[in-house]
Amino acid sequence: MADQNSYLFTSESVTEGHPDKLCDQISDAILDAIISKEALLAQEGYVSPGSGVPANVDEVRCAIETFTTTGIVTVMGEVRTQAYVDVDSIVRDVIRDIGYRGSDMGFDADTCAVSNYMHAQSADIALGVDESYEVQQGQVSGSDAYDKIGAGDQGIMFGYACDETSTLMPMPIYLAHRLAERLTAVRKDGTLPYLRPDGKTQVTVRYEDDKPVKVEKVLISTQHAADVTVDQIKADLIKQVIEPVFEAEGVRWQDADIYVNPTGRFVVGGPMGDTGLTGRKIIVDTYGGMGRHGGGAFSGKDCTKVDRSAAYAARWVAKNIVAAGLASRCEVQLAYAIGVARPLSVYVNTFGTNTVPEEKIEQAVLDVFDLRPAAIIDTLQLRRPIYRLTSNYGHFGRELPEFTWEQCNRVDQLKAAVGA
């Protein structure tokens, strides 16, 4: 029997040309456009001539799904906005930016069919979001603005952090994302011009006593032009993708088994090779399977949808706990009811790595973080057009200015709350 303290863990990432990721980007690009246009209308004092309702970015509601297959993109979903955005142009711009610009790519931004079936959000859903259950029932006065807005859906959300990498992400998914980013970069900058937009990466790491000790296997599958051999692709990817990524991260890779395009050919890709749908890469979006997932997807949803905003908040909480030295590994679960402002439950699991009692950490979270949806939206500045940027290479572990949930800005408060 194998040593129980030694095991392999694998995570995957995909490039922006993967059909599912193409759809995520379109959904989030439309959301960004609506947020930007609504904010501009509000600044200009626009009032709807039909209803007399003024533009207000706080009132935007979106749940946008995109579907694609050979030569077709279909956009569906529910929205509430005063803004008009050119969905057809947004779709084509995203596809063109990804790199699908002609028949040799298997998909063409300028000739594919685009269908738009978006419609108005249900008024029944809007009721509990615009005025929370607590306000409607007289449980709170409504004087606190954060009590006024209810969660946009019920559900459970998880956040996770660990001390395996500099960004407090699990090593397998962190490395898989960096490989996918690099694979796209060498395609777009012309270093490897025969590459095409669709691709996947996968990294297998050996753990001993729950600590990563070695990269054992690396897999890259990438769409390519018809006239290039798999031997050339493998040699080029080792030199231009694998080596630079692992060298930059200070990770030894030379002993790993390297797999490149194991079928021997990957010419037909993108929507011609596979259908795509928004929200089908939720494990790629989060922690690569290390840590649980509540089930909800992120892309295309505005920030009142706790599927998205509370998942960001849970990551923020977990990352600050690890950064504060209260645990080396932490998972946070939040639960919400539609229309209710306050979370139904908050649970902290440190997997036995805690340096102070877990119940003290959980109480500190309740003291330090306001996890009502409106508070999350305000604190993390989620009414900005930042969402297409999140839709590739992970919503977590990328310390960019737009990713406010990656800030370790509550470390001191947490330490004080637990008496550390």
Side-chain angles (χ1 to χ4, degrees):
M1 185 174 178
D3 184 355
Q4 294 298 306
N5 292 321
S6 180
Y7 57 90
L8 300 177
F9 195 91
T10 303
S11 296
E12 72 160 349
S13 183
V14 297
T15 64
E16 59 194 56
H18 186 283
D20 293 332
K21 273 295 152 201
L22 181 152
C23 291
D24 285 345
Q25 290 168 88
I26 289 172
S27 294
D28 274 338
I30 294 170
L31 171 60
D32 282 347
I34 290 172
I35 291 172
S36 296
K37 185 67 175 290
E38 187 85 23
L40 180 61
L41 291 176
Q43 185 178 356
E44 295 173 347
Y46 175 83
V47 177
S48 169
S51 64
V53 177
N56 182 352
V57 72
D58 292 348
E59 300 297 318
V60 167
R61 304 287 185 268
C62 290
I64 301 167
E65 313 286 347
T66 304
F67 166 82
T68 186
T69 188
T70 305
I72 299 171
V73 175
T74 301
V75 179
M76 305 157 281
E78 303 80 46
V79 299
R80 185 178 74 181
T81 181
Q82 301 283 0
Y84 167 79
V85 298
D86 188 344
V87 171
D88 186 276
S89 293
I90 294 168
V91 170
R92 297 185 191 281
D93 287 346
V94 170
I95 296 169
R96 190 178 298 109
D97 180 60
I98 290 170
Y100 288 117
R101 303 178 182 179
S103 58
D104 62 321
M105 300 289 178
F107 204 64
D108 188 344
D110 296 315
T111 62
C112 66
V114 177
S115 301
N116 177 8
Y117 296 104
M118 292 195 304
H119 57 86
Q121 183 196 46
S122 164
D124 292 346
I125 294 176
L127 283 174
V129 181
D130 295 342
E131 184 176 68
S132 72
Y133 174 85
E134 294 96 323
V135 172
Q136 293 182 38
Q137 297 298 311
Q139 297 176 2
V140 294
S141 67
S143 58
D144 184 341
Y146 293 161
D147 274 330
K148 292 180 181 179
I149 298 176
D153 202 352
Q154 73 171 58
I156 56 174
M157 298 83 211
F158 288 94
Y160 184 85
C162 60
D163 61 2
E164 296 176 15
T165 60
S166 60
T167 62
L168 305 186
M169 285 288 285
M171 182 175 285
I173 187 65
Y174 178 80
L175 293 176
H177 282 322
R178 303 295 78 76
L179 289 172
E181 283 181 319
R182 179 69 182 172
L183 186 60
T184 296
V186 297
R187 170 178 62 86
K188 285 189 165 182
D189 68 14
T191 300
L192 300 178
Y194 59 78
L195 294 182
R196 300 294 180 257
D198 197 356
K200 289 185 173 185
T201 63
Q202 191 168 287
V203 177
T204 300
V205 174
R206 178 165 296 280
Y207 284 76
E208 293 180 359
D209 296 324
D210 293 327
K211 297 293 184 182
V213 297
K214 181 183 179 182
V215 173
E216 291 225 350
K217 301 178 192 300
V218 177
L219 166 63
I220 301 179
S221 295
T222 180
Q223 186 187 9
H224 59 85
D227 59 353
V228 62
T229 67
V230 69
D231 289 339
Q232 181 184 346
I233 297 171
K234 182 173 183 178
D236 286 346
L237 293 191
I238 288 174
K239 181 179 180 181
Q240 300 295 342
V241 177
I242 295 172
E243 182 176 344
V245 166
F246 286 122
E247 292 296 329
E249 297 299 332
V251 175
R252 181 172 175 80
W253 61 274
Q254 288 85 349
D255 299 331
D257 295 328
I258 308 296
Y259 300 86
V260 172
N261 285 11
T263 67
R265 182 177 172 87
F266 187 179
V267 174
V268 178
M272 179 178 283
D274 194 7
T275 58
L277 184 65
T278 297
R280 263 202 321 208
K281 286 291 176 283
I282 58 176
I283 301 304
V284 170
D285 284 343
T286 53
Y287 308 101
M290 186 83 73
R292 285 166 282 200
H293 193 293
F298 303 153
S299 289
K301 297 177 181 177
D302 76 90
C303 53
T304 66
K305 309 292 191 299
V306 283
D307 277 345
R308 184 168 217 160
S309 54
Y312 291 174
R315 161 65 177 172
W316 180 43
V317 173
K319 187 172 183 180
N320 275 268
I321 289 171
V322 174
L326 306 184
S328 59
R329 182 180 171 206
C330 181
E331 183 178 76
V332 174
Q333 186 203 53
L334 307 176
Y336 292 85
I338 188 169
V340 179
R342 298 174 185 272
L344 302 185
S345 67
V346 178
Y347 170 62
V348 176
N349 182 4
T350 61
F351 307 95
T353 68
N354 49 302
T355 58
V356 299
E358 214 165 58
E359 58 269 21
K360 292 186 72 173
I361 298 175
E362 198 164 282
Q363 185 58 52
V365 168
L366 297 174
D367 293 342
V368 171
F369 295 91
D370 190 337
L371 297 170
R372 290 173 291 177
I376 293 170
I377 291 167
D378 186 34
T379 306
L380 298 182
Q381 304 169 51
L382 298 181
R383 297 260 183 219
R384 297 171 297 149
I386 60 172
Y387 294 106
R388 185 185 169 192
L389 184 62
T390 70
S391 61
N392 288 316
Y393 315 117
H395 292 246
F396 310 118
R398 299 161 64 202
E399 295 178 331
L400 305 173
E402 295 83 358
F403 288 46
T404 49
W405 50 93
E406 291 295 317
Q407 297 178 54
C408 297
N409 55 2
R410 298 294 172 91
V411 166
D412 292 340
Q413 294 96 314
L414 284 172
K415 287 181 177 179
V418 300

